[in-house]
Each structure stands twice: as C-alpha cells, then as structure tokens.
C-alpha cells in the first residue's frame, strides 16, 4: 500500500500493513519512493502519513480509544 508523507510529499510504500492498522503502534516501516534508487526501509510516524488522494488516515488506525469519543 502506498501512502503520502505530509512533510515531503513523497510516496511511501508501507511494508507492514498490520502495524498500519494497529492503533497501538505509532509508526510503521516503509520505503520512501523519492528518487530513482530503491530506498532503505525506514520508520514513519503514522501521524505524518495520509492517502495519496489527500485524505487523512482513519481514526481507528491511530487512536486506541476512538470508539469512546
């Protein structure tokens, strides 16, 4: 799955979808798609990611207590 980094605007290929969907995890491993060379895997804070369309990530992926609000 590809998401967009809010700070750099580059696409990020997410390597662990379970970590992305888990609201207990604040970061996910991924590879930035900037440049022509394949980038090393890095950790990305979920708060700094959004869908390529510009839509924010679902609250249930970010907040453990999303149902209590």
């Amino acid at each position: 799955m590809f998401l967009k980094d809010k700070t750099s605007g580059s696409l990020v290929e997410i390597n662990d979808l379970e970590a992305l969907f888990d609201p207990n995890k604040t970061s996910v491993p991924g590879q930035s798609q900037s440049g022509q060379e394949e980038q090393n895997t890095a950790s990305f804070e979920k708060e700094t990611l959004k869908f390529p369309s510009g839509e924010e990530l679902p609250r249930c992926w970010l907040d453990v207590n999303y149902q209590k609000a």
Side-chain angles (χ1 to χ4, degrees), residues 26-62:
T26 59
S27 62
V28 293
Q31 290 177 292
S32 176
Q33 299 299 301
S34 61
Q36 294 181 357
E37 300 289 324
E38 186 167 318
Q39 304 297 312
N40 293 330
T41 299
S43 181
F44 294 87
E45 292 296 315
K46 291 198 290 188
E47 292 288 333
T48 66
L49 299 172
K50 62 182 177 180
F51 289 104
S53 65
E55 185 178 352
E56 295 295 323
L57 298 182
R59 189 168 165 210
C60 61
W61 294 2
L62 304 170

